[in-house]
Amino acid sequence: MKHQLPILFALGTALCWGLYGPTLQHARPGGSPPLGPPDPAGWSPFKPYVGIGLAYLVIAIIGGLVAMKLKGDSFSFSDAQAPALKWGFAAGVLGALGAFCLTSAMSTFIGKPQPQLVMPIVFGGAVTITALHSAISHGSMKPMMAVGILLTAVGIVLVASNTSHGPTHTPTETETTAPAPVAGTAEVGEATARDNEGLET
């Protein structure tokens, strides 16, 4: 395969980012999101975001420097090397803002977070935006690309609406069984009816 290595890295990205939302839902405190200051027993969406930043710090900066050393790269970011830092920083800002939006999306659900709803929108939307950016950059968009964007939107709806949302509520025996009548209720009702008939006559 001509592009085997890039495809493998792309699949690795899909794997990691696909598990991003389901993992992030565990970083939210129980209950509904706070409308004001966070409850003492809970926390705001910004606390998990700090953890995300620490992960970027360890993996991106330290890991990046180690990888540069292994590749024999220079540690200069000036002159001809400046675009690496400038555009890398711009991409990092977009990535950090995306992580912030995704963290906020997972933290503002009323009730249990639903990554199965958020993640298809994120990745289906990302594919569409990438395609639109390419079309604008090259000044043309093929008709089949528009069809693909439409099918992507349909796919987002189908995936989000048919992904398992966890076990549904099963009525208990006490909920499904009608309460038994109180002993003597029927007899009292019949006696009352006979008394009423006697009064009418």
Side-chain angles (χ1 to χ4, degrees):
M1 185 182 294
K2 183 178 179 181
H3 303 295
Q4 182 176 4
L5 194 58
I7 291 175
L8 288 176
F9 279 119
L11 291 174
T13 304
L15 174 64
C16 294
W17 285 5
L19 294 174
Y20 185 95
T23 302
L24 192 59
Q25 69 174 327
H26 299 294
R28 181 189 135 158
S32 300
L35 299 178
D39 185 83
W43 52 84
S44 73
F46 301 103
K47 187 166 288 186
Y49 192 61
V50 173
I52 296 171
L54 289 174
Y56 276 114
L57 174 65
V58 173
I59 296 177
I61 296 182
I62 299 177
L65 292 174
V66 171
M68 286 172 58
K69 179 66 175 178
L70 294 176
K71 286 289 187 179
D73 203 349
S74 69
F75 291 94
S76 172
F77 290 96
S78 60
D79 299 329
Q81 307 287 325
L85 180 61
K86 179 178 69 174
W87 290 107
F89 181 79
V93 168
L94 292 173
L97 290 175
F100 174 78
C101 290
L102 185 52
T103 303
S104 299
M106 296 300 298
S107 301
T108 51
F109 272 104
I110 303 299
K112 181 182 178 182
Q114 298 185 24
Q116 68 276 3
L117 172 63
V118 173
M119 302 310 289
I121 296 174
V122 170
F123 292 111
V127 170
T128 301
I129 291 174
T130 300
L132 291 175
H133 177 270
S134 178
I136 293 172
S137 299
H138 294 88
S140 64
M141 183 173 71
K142 297 179 180 179
M144 290 306 295
M145 177 181 163
V147 175
I149 292 175
L150 178 61
L151 292 176
T152 300
V154 173
I156 292 173
V157 175
L158 290 176
V159 171
S161 59
N162 290 282
T163 302
S164 175
H165 292 191
T168 57
H169 174 67
T170 303
T172 61
E173 184 177 352
T174 57
E175 293 174 334
T176 56
T177 305
V182 179
T185 302
E187 290 79 358
V188 172
E190 293 175 359
T192 303
R194 287 196 297 269
D195 293 341
N196 291 336
E197 291 177 358
L199 292 175
E200 291 176 357
T201 56

